[in-house]
Amino acid sequence: MAFAILRYDVPASLVVFLVAIPLSLGIALASGAPIVAGLIAAIVGGILAGAVGGSPMQVSGPAAGLTVIMAGIIDQFGWAATCAITVAAGALQILLGLSRIARAALAIAPAIVHGMLAGIGVTIVLGQLHIVLGGSPQSSAIDNILELPGQIIGHHDTAALIGLLTIGILLVWGKLPAAVRKVPGPLAAIAVVTVLATTTGMTLDRVSLPDDLLSVALVPRLPEGGWLEIGLAVLTVALVASVESLLCAVAVDKLHTGPRSNLNRELVGQGVANMTSGAVGGLPVTGVIVRSSANVSAGARTRASAILHGVWVLVFVLLLAGLIENIPLAALAGLLVHVGAKLVNWQQIRTVAEHGDLPLYLVTLFGVVFVDLLSGVLIGVALSVFMMLRRTIWSGIHVEQDGGQYRVVIEGALTFLSVPRLSKVLGTVPQGSAVTLELVVDYLDHAAFDSLASWQQAHERAGGTVVVDEVGHPWFERGKSGSPTVRREAAGKVMPRWLAPWSEWQANHAVPQVPGQRIGPTATFRGTSEFQRRTAPLMQPTLSRLADGQQPHTLFITCVDARIVPNVITTSGPGDLFTVRNVGNLVPSSGGAADDSSVGAAVEYAVGVLKVREVVVCGHSSCGAMNALLAESPEGMPHFGNWLRYAEPSRLRMQAASSVTLAGREPVAEAERLALHNVLQQLEHLRRHPVVAAAEARGDLHLTGMYFDVGAAQVYLFEPGAGGFVAAGTHAEMP
């Protein structure tokens, strides 16, 4: 541990310290607080939040995200009372952390958080641009915008030169060689313009610190005014600081592979730091992504880096305060313009837009800029709830028309919120028409049921027909039978949509007959129609890529039994399996009869031409071929009896070889024992094929024995070391 601190954390803490000094001063300036308050917050945040908090790599200090809030509170209550509000906000954070609800803050939509930060950034830029250009910020964002053109074309003094030069250095710093960029951009910009201003003797407003920093003794004073306003200020500071810190902790966790953050403990640590910072005259503390990312990038390994960065700030302030007093305020304003502009993250805007939440982002941003921060966030939250409700109401209800028939498709949760939309869609279905009502819902409340049932009755009275298809749990059917399911957790699990063609509902409901139209078998007709309507559009891109050739990875030999669906039990899709199916999943051992030529041809083509990497022989429970092999072949089925001759070696193997286990036990039923031996016998037959033997000798092919227990829906794989078949997921990994 000591070695890691010396080798990694000490250098990283120095990098973070160099970033923290100018940012802390600039944030204090933008907040309207005493300049020293930013440094106090950096010291306390680094040492206390670093030591007590639950995020090892996060670095805390004064944050740009709180500047607008703090500026308003300071203007309303004064600085001493603001310190008391900070102490109270810290106490509230501790209570929130101890109540273990820290993760609840993550329920706020990311678009709202990013919109809030962007709004803060825009507000900072609008205010600090006036200082950069030699003027004074106005009282509101609208006034700042209205006064900005006159400020731009007005008279500019040396302060404007220093501010613009600071912004220029920060803009080009990221494009300089890596060796130069080892010095943090904010530190370099402030240092360059400070040296320039000092050496040229420019007359500028500069940072002012108390003569003796150790003598600073500020006692927080309770605000004068209504308790409602005070409580609102405390709540605002606590919530914004908490959300920013928690989101920063989550973001920092994505930057490293070390221990993950304990969010509840982090909230307690932030509260302790804020109580202390407010008590000694500092700004509120939050986790800061700029410092934290610099900490990780510099190679920090433990929380010692964050703690040491606070120590370095303290040492610097006490020993080199004179250097700080040479910094022009215009330079700090330029730094803040750059920091504020970076809060408007274009990558985040693009991501938010891709997820359909751009309106949420923009409403929050404009609310923060033109109203106030808390109102902007509340407006964003209200809009997010509205958008959620709207998506619930509008999603998954539509009508499909095929000739004179109509299909009403309803998917998702169908509640009272959806009834207006449901009623509107159902109203578009012509009276007297043949309708299929397809329900793929995971919840149906009474209001929605009543609306559906009433419409069905009215439609049928008008001469129409309604056939109800329910995929998954029968919500509507149970409601009509008088035994509705009222709790979602009591409902049966919904069958995945891609299994619909094999669901019982496909075969158990009649297809509405169209006069004069001749249709094929009911199940096939419904299945192909379902494929074209639902599955084909999803599969078309994949099938298009496979149109000119196939490259399957596996030759899959299994029985013709209708209960075995290879792609389902192997979770594979088009182009994955080269499948051979026959009665009893047999691989005849030699030629000489026309019956076995198709299996041999498939083996040769799959292994020799397609170069599959695996051959699977899959048997199954309650196999008719195995039962017939143990009894006499049914009369009048000569081809069936002739084919079973190829399974005779499996029966002889069962009599002569040692037992084969299934999940550690030998099956009781003789037919099941024979099915296991049959799989292994077919693998032996495969190895006698020259093309298989050659590929296996080269290490290009692996042979796998598989058994499917139909009733248990359980796949077993042969494990030679276990002497039998073991459940899939527990067998040893193949090389």
Side-chain angles (χ1 to χ4, degrees), residues 412-466:
L414 192 61
T415 69
F416 68 95
L417 296 172
S418 305
V419 169
R421 167 67 175 165
L422 176 64
S423 178
K424 180 179 179 181
V425 172
L426 293 176
T428 63
V429 178
Q431 290 187 352
S433 58
V435 180
T436 298
L437 183 61
E438 183 176 309
L439 298 176
V440 193
V441 298
D442 58 2
Y443 184 69
L444 179 72
D445 72 1
H446 179 258
F449 165 80
D450 187 68
S451 179
L452 277 176
S454 299
W455 172 82
Q456 180 182 4
Q457 294 170 6
H459 190 77
E460 290 175 341
R461 283 197 302 268
T465 61
V466 178

Side-chain angles (χ1 to χ4, degrees), residues 478-562:
R478 287 182 63 90
K480 292 183 68 177
S481 67
S483 56
T485 303
V486 296
R487 299 193 317 276
R488 186 177 304 190
E489 59 270 19
K493 292 184 178 179
V494 176
M495 187 72 72
R497 194 74 188 98
W498 49 270
L499 273 179
W502 299 293
S503 300
E504 291 185 4
W505 70 275
Q506 288 285 84
N508 292 343
H509 293 82
V511 177
Q513 297 293 320
V514 180
Q517 179 179 355
R518 185 178 180 181
I519 62 174
T522 299
T524 302
F525 176 84
R526 292 174 63 77
T528 53
S529 298
E530 174 72 13
F531 171 81
Q532 290 303 144
R533 288 190 301 105
R534 298 289 187 184
T535 311
L538 301 176
M539 294 180 61
Q540 194 277 329
T542 298
L543 293 174
S544 178
R545 292 194 298 269
L546 296 171
D548 297 327
Q550 58 173 323
Q551 290 184 320
H553 54 69
T554 299
L555 167 60
F556 197 90
I557 302 173
T558 190
C559 186
V560 294
D561 193 293

Side-chain angles (χ1 to χ4, degrees), residues 400-411:
E400 299 173 0
Q401 183 178 2
D402 183 11
Q405 296 196 38
Y406 292 83
R407 178 177 292 268
V408 179
V409 182
I410 303 173
E411 299 175 298

